[in-house]
Amino acid sequence: MGWLPVGDSYEISLVDGKVAARATGPRATGRPLKTLPKVLRDDPEVDRLRQLAQWLDRHSAECLARVDGWVVSSLPVPTGLLARIWPDPAWRDALRDLVVLGDDPAEPGFLRDVTDTGDLRVVNLDGETVRLSPASAVLPHPVRLPDLADLREFAGELDVTQRVEQLHRGTWDRPANLKDRDTTITDFRGTTVPNRLAARAATLGFRVSGSQVRCRVWEAGHTVEAAIWFDEDYWDSEATLGTLSWSVVEGPMLRLTEVGPVAWSEGMRMATALSGALTGTGEQS
């Protein structure tokens, strides 16, 4: 944004998300000052700019959360909607370089631009920039990407940085040797985690309800919720994790063999993150 005059000697602006000032006058260098002058700290214009910065931070977080939801549930997003939100830097930063699918699910590409008519410009695995014109686009969960290894390698070559976890999101495959009657995972039961489990869960984007930490995904036409139990004393003492299970929201508990690939992966990702175990990509959570 531009610089706004304040008083007789200064201008203010947002620089890297913070209020900055620079001196005006014939000897001014034009460079932002290292600290905000004391005379400006209580100025109404400075306060309004601080409030704008706070709103922009909240807006950016909301955009990231919404796009993360699209990725987790692999929801089709109308390209007309993408065209409307793309000019907004917060939305653009959240969407840029995510893997996107158009009409052909076998042709993934990295999203680089959206035109005002809703056309997508993507870089495909051949390194070519192509133009797609689907009615809607999918930002798929990584378990739904058959070329995941190739996409991760190519992303490294392109020096791609995704604001929303997609390609390097931890993933877990459902074991093939599950028994039909089983409804819970006991791998994490008895794991002791540090203080303030509720705060840790919220920071990681999960919901706490009663004695459970939960996450939801939309899959196969249903909202499926993964839930892991923990002991009651989670505010001021160490918490101990219990069993992990899945259920249809406002529906029955699912047998493990009925859990879809995305719901399984996201439930295991949640439990692994809370337990501090290694993630699906081999990193400490």
Side-chain angles (χ1 to χ4, degrees), residues 8-282:
D8 298 328
S9 305
Y10 296 101
E11 294 176 327
I12 58 172
S13 184
L14 289 181
V15 178
D16 296 330
K18 297 182 179 180
V19 179
R22 68 181 183 183
T24 59
R27 296 186 178 181
T29 64
R31 294 191 297 270
L33 302 173
K34 292 183 179 180
T35 59
L36 199 65
K38 186 176 181 180
V39 69
L40 295 181
R41 291 175 188 173
D42 296 323
D43 188 281
E45 291 298 326
V46 171
D47 186 58
R48 278 192 282 270
L49 207 53
R50 286 197 188 102
Q51 293 180 41
L52 173 61
Q54 293 168 0
W55 182 88
L56 290 172
D57 286 344
R58 291 194 300 271
H59 176 58
S60 178
E62 290 166 357
C63 293
L64 288 170
R66 181 61 60 88
V67 175
D68 184 77
W70 292 344
V71 169
V72 169
S73 295
S74 301
L75 291 173
V77 182
T79 50
L81 172 61
L82 294 178
R84 289 196 297 272
I85 63 178
W86 186 261
D88 184 329
W91 281 108
R92 189 166 60 247
D93 288 348
L95 289 163
R96 183 176 170 83
D97 281 334
L98 289 179
V99 176
V100 63
L101 300 177
D103 292 329
D104 187 350
E107 293 293 333
F110 293 92
L111 182 62
R112 288 298 174 88
D113 192 19
V114 182
T115 70
D116 56 6
T117 59
D119 291 341
L120 312 179
R121 291 194 178 97
V122 304
V123 177
N124 62 23
L125 281 173
D126 294 324
E128 299 175 345
T129 299
V130 297
R131 186 169 179 147
L132 306 178
S133 302
S136 61
V138 173
L139 307 169
H141 189 282
V143 300
R144 297 194 178 280
L145 287 170
D147 299 318
L148 181 58
D150 292 339
L151 286 164
R152 283 174 172 169
E153 181 180 357
F154 192 44
E157 295 174 4
L158 292 178
D159 197 25
V160 161
T161 300
Q162 295 182 328
R163 293 288 310 281
V164 171
E165 275 192 315
Q166 186 192 38
L167 287 184
H168 296 289
R169 194 181 195 90
T171 58
W172 285 258
D173 294 326
R174 191 180 65 189
N177 59 349
L178 296 172
K179 298 178 181 178
D180 287 341
R181 65 177 181 274
D182 289 345
T183 57
T184 60
I185 294 290
T186 60
D187 298 26
F188 306 95
R189 187 168 60 189
T191 300
T192 300
V193 298
N195 294 348
R196 298 186 62 79
L197 176 63
R200 176 173 171 80
T203 299
L204 294 169
F206 308 125
R207 297 187 306 113
V208 177
S209 177
S211 297
Q212 292 180 318
V213 182
R214 305 179 182 186
C215 68
R216 291 182 176 184
V217 303
W218 174 262
E219 186 171 24
H222 300 285
T223 301
V224 179
E225 185 172 67
I228 186 166
W229 290 88
F230 61 92
D231 65 16
E232 294 287 350
D233 298 326
Y234 59 89
W235 287 110
D236 299 315
S237 62
E238 291 183 335
T240 303
L241 297 180
T243 57
L244 171 67
S245 61
W246 289 260
S247 62
V248 175
V249 173
E250 298 183 357
M253 178 178 287
L254 297 173
R255 295 192 297 270
L256 296 185
T257 54
E258 297 174 320
V259 180
V262 175
W264 180 277
S265 185
E266 287 299 301
M268 291 295 292
R269 176 176 177 266
M270 174 182 68
T272 301
L274 294 173
S275 70
L278 291 178
T279 68
T281 54

